[in-house]
Amino acid sequence: MVTLRDRTERHLTEQANDQSMRVEQLGSGTPEIAVVGGIHGDEPCGVHAIDRLLAEDPSLTEPVKLVVANELALEKGVRYVDEDLNRAFPGDPDADTHEGRLAHDLVTELEGCLTFSMHSTQSHAEPFALLDDVTDDRSELVTQLPVSSVVETSHFSEGRLFTAIRTLEVECGLQGSETAAQNADRLTRAFLTAVGALPGDTVAREIPVFRLEDVIYKDRADTYEVFVENFTEVEAGETFAAADGEEQVAETSFYPVLLSPYGYQEVFGYTAEKIDVLAGAPTPD
Ligand SMILES: [Zn+2]
């Protein structure tokens, strides 16, 4: 017999779950492919792509799980509520933070799925991909996406979704822009085509690989400036950023990645090394 108290508790639990993430599915069966948006609440492009896919309801050859991750942060229009979700994996059901618990729920939900996770940045308008390890066979999929570069996060992978779930991350463009939302649509379709869930062919391209090397810290200041382009080499001796007018000069040459004046609280971004070019496999006969 279900008592009133049981029902109330269950209702409250359902409400709490509903508030933390939204899970949908296209196609029938158990999905082995997932698309995730809204890991960060101030990056609406991925949510837009998911809603658009649901509205279009295309005929798929394989079922796909669609997850809007941090609904509470999205509602508030903030990157996160308690801590950065993409530094909180694998998470813990008893974590003190909203994102710590959500990370655990997401891992449970995405278990066994090859996952495509969409982000946007303040650093770069063109889409690029991120992988924790480019020697992995996910690289083959990256060459089939409309991206200009791939970033290997290497030793900066801790707490990211790909440490817990087989994931391919993409940055779709500038946060909140219409272009980022359009790019998110294109990237999702390319990913679903590359994995064979949507019919059609993809175009394989050569994509340069940038491996993150170091964090570029910034001093506490009121105004920050960045003078260089991401993915374009900064020469030794070049002034690349400033904090309250205090210039930061490159000691050695590097490629800036995820570099922006205000994108992160304590860092400008990262230095990277250009290490390789991914080339798509030749089309089979
Ligand atoms: Zn993000």
Coordinates of all heavy atoms in Angstrom, one line a residue, residues 39-40 43 79 118-120 171, ligand 1:
I39 N 25.8 21.4 -20.6 CA 26.7 21.1 -19.5 C 27.0 22.4 -18.7 O 27.1 22.4 -17.5 CB 28.1 20.5 -20.1 CG1 27.8 19.1 -20.6 CG2 29.2 20.5 -19.0 CD1 27.9 17.9 -19.6
H40 N 27.2 23.5 -19.5 CA 27.3 24.8 -18.9 C 26.1 25.6 -19.1 O 25.6 25.7 -20.3 CB 28.6 25.5 -19.4 CG 29.8 24.9 -19.0 ND1 30.9 24.6 -19.9 CD2 30.2 24.5 -17.8 CE1 31.8 24.0 -19.2 NE2 31.5 23.9 -17.9
E43 N 25.6 28.4 -21.9 CA 25.9 28.1 -23.3 C 24.7 27.4 -24.0 O 24.6 26.2 -24.0 CB 27.2 27.1 -23.3 CG 28.4 27.8 -22.6 CD 29.6 26.8 -22.5 OE1 29.5 25.7 -22.9 OE2 30.5 27.2 -21.8
R79 N 27.0 29.8 -15.7 CA 27.8 28.6 -16.1 C 27.5 27.4 -15.2 O 27.4 26.3 -15.7 CB 29.3 29.0 -16.0 CG 30.3 28.0 -16.5 CD 31.7 28.5 -16.5 NE 32.7 27.6 -16.8 CZ 33.1 27.2 -18.0 NH1 32.5 27.7 -19.1 NH2 34.1 26.3 -18.2
M118 N 28.1 19.4 -26.6 CA 28.3 20.7 -27.2 C 28.5 21.9 -26.2 O 27.8 22.0 -25.2 CB 27.1 21.1 -28.0 CG 27.0 20.2 -29.3 SD 25.4 20.5 -30.1 CE 24.4 19.4 -29.1
H119 N 29.5 22.7 -26.5 CA 29.8 23.9 -25.7 C 29.9 25.1 -26.6 O 29.9 25.0 -27.8 CB 31.2 23.7 -25.0 CG 31.2 22.6 -23.9 ND1 31.0 22.9 -22.6 CD2 31.3 21.3 -24.0 CE1 31.0 21.8 -21.9 NE2 31.2 20.8 -22.7
S120 N 30.1 26.3 -25.9 CA 30.5 27.5 -26.7 C 31.4 28.3 -25.8 O 31.5 28.0 -24.6 CB 29.2 28.3 -27.1 OG 28.4 28.5 -25.9
E171 N 33.3 22.8 -29.4 CA 33.0 24.2 -29.1 C 32.3 24.8 -30.4 O 32.9 24.7 -31.5 CB 34.3 25.0 -28.9 CG 35.0 24.6 -27.6 CD 34.3 25.1 -26.3 OE1 33.3 25.8 -26.4 OE2 34.8 24.7 -25.2
Ligands
ZN1 ZN 31.2 24.8 -21.9

